[in-house]
Amino acid sequence: GQQLNQSPQSMFIQEGEDVSMNCTSSSIFNTWLWYKQDPGEGPVLLIALYKAGELTSNGRLTAQFGITRKDSFLNISASIPSDVGIYFCAGQFYNQGGKLIFGQGTELSVKP
Amino acid sequence: DAGVIQSPRHEVTEMGQEVTLRCKPISGHDYLFWYRQTMMRGLELLIYFNNNVPIDDSGMPEDRFSAKMPNASFSTLKIQPSEPRDSAVYFCASRGEGRTFFGPGTRLTVL
């Protein structure tokens, strides 16, 4: 079945450090998305990528859609304590109603 | 907009009992999704609706699970009878203008 492999599973960093996480897939997606989930809440959309090779920023977050449409990375610059949470990549097929296939998540801990 | 609304936020029940989870999607959204999140399996799609019609229920684990969407502003996910392995966080999400928004989830514990 369709799977997204997300790495690393967890990260422990110092406040101010940059962070990088990535996802790979055996499937080609129309859209690649990055979500953040805080404890006790649902995932919140951070960045959506629509075109192969697309590089998009949202504040301190930068994400890129791989040329082959099978991979993506998310970078967070100058991390702060509120960046703590679980980050998920998700692939989306337009011809399947926009249903999302999620990666396993990267749990980020930031030490002040 | 209040976002996607789910109720209850927490549910504790005993094995064999019927459980009904409720969702109010964002007004104007034409897709509604039910996802389940567990440590072992992560976030997985159970079923989704388009304009209140079930389109893909291939993720529904067993016949014990059923979902309905009687109108554009309400959906239910029912588990009957519930089992301990159904314990998870269940998310409802709605999609409009190309973006999917998640509710806060219902944490279900089946004893």
Side-chain angles (χ1 to χ4, degrees), chain B residues 16-71:
Chain B
Q17 296 298 306
E18 177 180 296
V19 175
T20 299
L21 311 182
R22 298 172 174 79
C23 175
K24 176 178 168 54
I26 293 172
S27 177
H29 283 191
D30 52 358
Y31 284 89
L32 183 140
F33 306 85
W34 282 99
Y35 287 86
R36 179 172 67 176
Q37 185 176 35
T38 61
M39 287 294 291
M40 291 297 295
R41 299 175 66 89
L43 274 158
E44 52 181 348
L45 178 68
L46 300 177
I47 185 172
Y48 77 90
F49 296 82
N50 178 216
N51 292 322
N52 313 337
V53 176
I55 302 299
D56 182 355
D57 65 354
S58 60
M60 296 285 261
E62 298 172 34
D63 291 345
R64 298 184 297 104
F65 285 69
S66 63
K68 293 182 180 179
M69 192 166 185
N71 58 62

